[in-house]
Amino acid sequence: MTGSVARSSYRERNSTADRALDILLLYTDERLALSGAEIARQLGVARSTAYRYLQSLLAAGLVEEGPAGFRIGPRVFDLARLARRGLGLDTAARPVMRRLCDDLHETVLLTRRSGSVVVCLDRVGKAGPVPLSYERGHIFPINAGAAAMVLLAWEDQDDIRSVLSEQPLTKLTSRTLTDPDELMTRLRRIRTRGVAVASGELDEGIVGVAAPVFGRDGEVRAGVSVAVPVSRLTAARASEMEKGVRTAAAEIAKRLAAPAS
């Protein structure tokens, strides 16, 4: 009986954790605050159940309650900062990202895969006239955008298939691919090319170019990418962006491999 109760409790904790993550993934630039009723409706659960999940997030500081409803809490940004430091990416990537931003005058992003989602670890660049859904700590799907593609393309083929097939893939815009077979074909092309280019998959009117940052073990540690409004994109500009992210990714990898002084 005791073992049965323990197993049941363990399953409930996992269920609550999964639902708490589902809540965090509801937030977008258009939905910065959500009411308890909205969250319950989106999750398809009773309002009392949604509030139970929210209590876990509130207690951890991952959401906070304000006049307009529940919004992302400051702890998310702390976690992103700690993730960068724990990976050694904080000091290795930031100067390189600033230099690339200065060279291109565009937004530069540092991302990392976490299971079946992508986390924005850092962002350098001022907000432009076209809003981006990338901020430090932002979580977005594994199947959309150049940054996501380079984080997945060099993984083991069976692992890629498993990640793409374990749950329905999110379609954010008309350009977002949700078919695992189409994505597998695309990822093979990206490995051959060495960079990923995506247009309007996360944000309408935004083109992203990304390159993988490899560790000493040959595994992809992070992705560095540039986001630019399609209205500013020319063939020459696209080539400049591709060269820029390749160089930046190689420089970050070199800095990560350097022995600590």
Side-chain angles (χ1 to χ4, degrees):
M1 176 66 70
T2 302
S4 176
V5 171
R7 285 193 295 273
S8 175
S9 175
Y10 177 77
R11 284 196 297 271
E12 174 62 23
R13 288 200 304 274
N14 276 347
S15 174
T16 300
D18 290 342
R19 285 305 207 176
L21 289 173
D22 288 340
I23 291 173
L24 292 177
L25 293 174
L26 292 176
Y27 290 93
T28 67
D29 272 0
E30 291 73 36
R31 294 192 297 193
L32 296 176
L34 296 165
S35 68
E38 287 177 294
I39 291 171
R41 185 171 63 253
Q42 290 288 332
L43 295 183
V45 299
R47 193 178 302 187
S48 60
T49 303
Y51 276 104
R52 188 173 81 246
Y53 300 142
L54 282 164
Q55 288 306 311
S56 296
L57 292 170
L58 285 165
L62 296 173
V63 300
E64 58 185 9
E65 191 170 10
F70 296 94
R71 60 183 179 235
I72 294 292
R75 181 61 178 154
V76 170
F77 301 103
D78 288 339
L79 292 174
R81 176 181 57 82
L82 292 172
R84 293 196 308 274
R85 292 190 64 186
L87 293 167
L89 287 166
D90 197 33
T91 55
R94 188 79 177 173
V96 180
M97 294 173 67
R98 285 200 194 100
R99 186 161 61 247
L100 182 58
C101 179
D102 290 342
D103 290 344
L104 298 178
H105 304 290
E106 302 292 355
T107 300
V108 180
L109 305 162
L110 183 72
T111 53
R112 180 177 181 245
R113 177 187 165 205
S114 180
S116 59
V117 297
V118 172
V119 181
C120 181
L121 297 177
D122 206 355
R123 168 178 167 164
V124 176
K126 296 180 180 179
V130 180
L132 297 175
S133 63
Y134 318 100
E135 294 291 346
R136 293 185 189 93
H138 185 89
I139 298 171
F140 48 96
I142 195 68
N143 61 299
M149 293 298 99
V150 295
L151 292 171
L152 199 57
W154 279 266
E155 296 291 337
D156 176 81
Q157 295 294 291
D158 291 337
D159 289 344
I160 295 174
R161 175 69 68 177
S162 176
V163 169
L164 295 177
S165 303
E166 66 185 12
Q167 60 187 4
L169 298 173
T170 303
K171 192 171 186 67
L172 297 173
T173 75
S174 62
R175 292 176 175 267
T176 306
L177 292 181
T178 57
D179 180 83
D181 290 330
E182 291 182 4
L183 284 162
M184 293 290 288
T185 298
R186 182 184 184 190
L187 292 171
R188 285 193 289 270
R189 291 199 298 265
I190 290 169
R191 284 197 303 275
T192 299
R193 183 175 180 179
V195 296
V197 179
S199 178
E201 295 178 16
L202 283 169
D203 298 294
E204 297 283 2
I206 297 295
V207 175
V209 181
V213 176
F214 291 99
R216 287 181 178 178
D217 56 3
E219 299 291 325
V220 175
R221 298 282 300 277
V224 59
S225 57
V226 174
V228 58
V230 68
S231 59
R232 291 207 297 266
L233 192 67
T234 63
R237 186 65 164 161
S239 177
E240 186 181 15
M241 289 169 60
E242 182 171 329
K243 180 180 179 181
V245 294
R246 285 179 186 273
T247 302
E251 177 62 19
I252 294 170
K254 181 179 179 181
R255 290 168 65 93
L256 285 172
S261 57

